[in-house]
Amino acid sequence: MAFETYKIYDTTSLSNGVINTYLFDYIDNIENAQIIISNKEENTDKPYILLENEELKLITKENIFTIPFSSENFQLMLLKLLSNAFNDEPFNLLYLLESKRKESAEFIKNLIVLFEVEDQKNSMSHSQRVAYYTKKFAKYIHKSENEIEFLYDLAMLHDVGRIGIEQLMLFSKTRIYDIEQWDLEHTNAGTIFLSNRKELWYAIDVVRHHHERWDGAGFPDKLKGEEIPYYARFIGIVDWFDLATHTATSEHFGILSPEEAIEYMEFNLGKIFDPVLGKSFIEFIKEFLSKEEFI
């Protein structure tokens, strides 16, 4: 399942900082746009906002509504356009949701850290380490600052479905029927959990699909290749490396050294791992280990 975003066409950049960036994708094709903002008259039957001669015009098939340009007037006009275009609370689609998203995400991330078992050596949990290496990797391949922070956020949330599972394994022996089976369920559990919080929907793709494999043999949906959402492939590679070097599983029977994990990844490029992203990560982690301490 892919998280569906709304499509916006904006030649003015007026919507930057106003539209909720996690609910909208900017596109170049006006025909597929659900929201249109332009600095020239467009040949379309869809309602749209036109910025022209320091005026804002809301143009529909029925009429044209004109007001002087100001940031406040633009937000009011955009709110009206959103109300017409979507069967949704229009304020949810504006930037007002961003503060709520950040507040909810920070609360959930704190819960994840609280419930995950820390490494005695560095006092970091699995999600903290994945977020740490994700940020380093994203910088290495020259992602923008905004995308780096977005990836860090996704990395912290990727295992939200595992909240409580480690404690269950440690302290509730009578309730465990199969430890690894419990772990396989965390992608579904995380999907259900996030689906109840609209401001966190942006993380669903990563939470659900970070254990898919390039060859289609992963879980939970057996996606393969580029069917797997890009950020899920990105976080999934870092997630696998951290698990392999800190956790014994039936996949590799014991905790691997970083060098053993790298060798395993090299052998499985195009099988388990995205061959392009995986190769870049291997190059990154080799360089990182040559300069910095492994955590």
Side-chain angles (χ1 to χ4, degrees), residues 144-211:
S144 68
E145 286 301 316
N146 285 340
E147 194 170 10
I148 289 169
E149 291 306 313
F150 183 50
L151 280 160
Y152 180 87
D153 195 51
L154 292 173
M156 282 299 301
L157 291 170
H158 82 281
D159 266 352
V160 64
R162 298 184 75 233
I163 287 180
I165 288 179
E166 290 181 346
Q167 282 63 40
L168 186 65
M169 292 175 180
L170 288 170
F171 304 121
S172 303
K173 294 180 181 178
T174 59
R175 295 175 62 189
I176 297 175
Y177 60 90
D178 185 329
I179 286 178
E180 287 199 340
Q181 190 61 40
W182 268 102
D183 197 44
L184 292 175
E185 292 295 330
H186 77 278
T187 54
N188 292 321
T191 301
I192 294 167
F193 180 81
L194 292 186
S195 68
N196 291 306
R197 302 295 308 182
K198 187 170 185 178
E199 66 271 24
L200 298 178
W201 281 4
Y202 68 92
I204 286 178
D205 278 354
V206 168
V207 169
R208 185 170 184 85
H209 296 303
H210 65 278
H211 283 293

Side-chain angles (χ1 to χ4, degrees), residues 20-215:
N20 185 297
T21 56
Y22 296 96
L23 293 181
F24 280 86
D25 277 337
Y26 285 88
I27 63 173
D28 297 326
N29 184 352
I30 194 171
E31 295 301 318
N32 296 327
Q34 294 160 288
I35 289 291
I36 300 169
I37 304 163
S38 185
N39 53 14
K40 64 182 180 68
E41 290 190 15
E42 301 286 355
N43 182 22
T44 178
D45 291 332
K46 299 177 182 178
Y48 71 98
I49 294 174
L50 173 65
L51 173 62
E52 186 178 59
N53 300 324
E54 296 301 313
E55 289 184 330
L56 290 165
K57 298 179 180 180
L58 179 58
I59 299 176
T60 69
K61 287 191 293 186
E62 290 78 23
N63 52 44
I64 299 175
F65 176 66
T66 303
I67 54 177
F69 172 77
S70 70
S71 58
E72 293 82 6
N73 282 345
F74 171 70
Q75 291 185 47
L76 288 171
M77 188 168 280
L78 180 59
L79 193 62
K80 177 64 175 176
L81 185 61
L82 291 169
S83 299
N84 290 339
F86 300 103
N87 295 320
D88 202 342
E89 293 295 329
F91 276 108
N92 285 349
L93 301 172
L94 290 178
Y95 193 69
L96 297 175
L97 186 60
E98 185 66 1
S99 60
K100 186 179 179 183
R101 181 199 71 79
K102 288 182 178 178
E103 181 181 340
S104 297
E106 287 305 310
F107 175 72
I108 298 303
K109 286 188 282 187
N110 288 335
L111 271 183
I112 290 168
V113 173
L114 177 65
F115 279 106
E116 283 188 337
V117 177
E118 292 181 346
D119 188 310
Q120 291 183 351
K121 184 175 71 173
N122 55 41
S123 298
M124 293 177 73
S125 73
H126 167 63
S127 292
Q128 288 174 308
R129 290 192 303 269
V130 172
Y132 172 82
Y133 281 117
T134 291
K135 194 168 188 176
K136 296 277 189 181
F137 178 35
K139 286 182 179 179
Y140 177 81
I141 58 175
H142 308 297
K143 295 289 188 183
S144 68
E145 286 301 316
N146 285 340
E147 194 170 10
I148 289 169
E149 291 306 313
F150 183 50
L151 280 160
Y152 180 87
D153 195 51
L154 292 173
M156 282 299 301
L157 291 170
H158 82 281
D159 266 352
V160 64
R162 298 184 75 233
I163 287 180
I165 288 179
E166 290 181 346
Q167 282 63 40
L168 186 65
M169 292 175 180
L170 288 170
F171 304 121
S172 303
K173 294 180 181 178
T174 59
R175 295 175 62 189
I176 297 175
Y177 60 90
D178 185 329
I179 286 178
E180 287 199 340
Q181 190 61 40
W182 268 102
D183 197 44
L184 292 175
E185 292 295 330
H186 77 278
T187 54
N188 292 321
T191 301
I192 294 167
F193 180 81
L194 292 186
S195 68
N196 291 306
R197 302 295 308 182
K198 187 170 185 178
E199 66 271 24
L200 298 178
W201 281 4
Y202 68 92
I204 286 178
D205 278 354
V206 168
V207 169
R208 185 170 184 85
H209 296 303
H210 65 278
H211 283 293
E212 306 284 0
R213 289 174 39 141
W214 188 260
D215 62 7

Side-chain angles (χ1 to χ4, degrees), residues 129-130 132-138 140-141 233-242 258 261-262 265 269 273-289 294:
R129 290 192 303 269
V130 172
Y132 172 82
Y133 281 117
T134 291
K135 194 168 188 176
K136 296 277 189 181
F137 178 35
Y140 177 81
I141 58 175
R233 284 180 270 145
F234 191 108
I235 302 296
I237 288 168
V238 187
D239 176 60
W240 183 91
F241 181 81
D242 186 74
I262 290 169
M265 293 184 74
L269 290 177
F273 311 107
D274 178 322
V276 176
L277 273 175
K279 184 174 183 293
S280 295
F281 179 79
I282 289 168
E283 292 169 353
F284 150 73
I285 200 66
K286 283 181 177 179
E287 181 174 316
F288 175 88
L289 293 172
F294 173 65

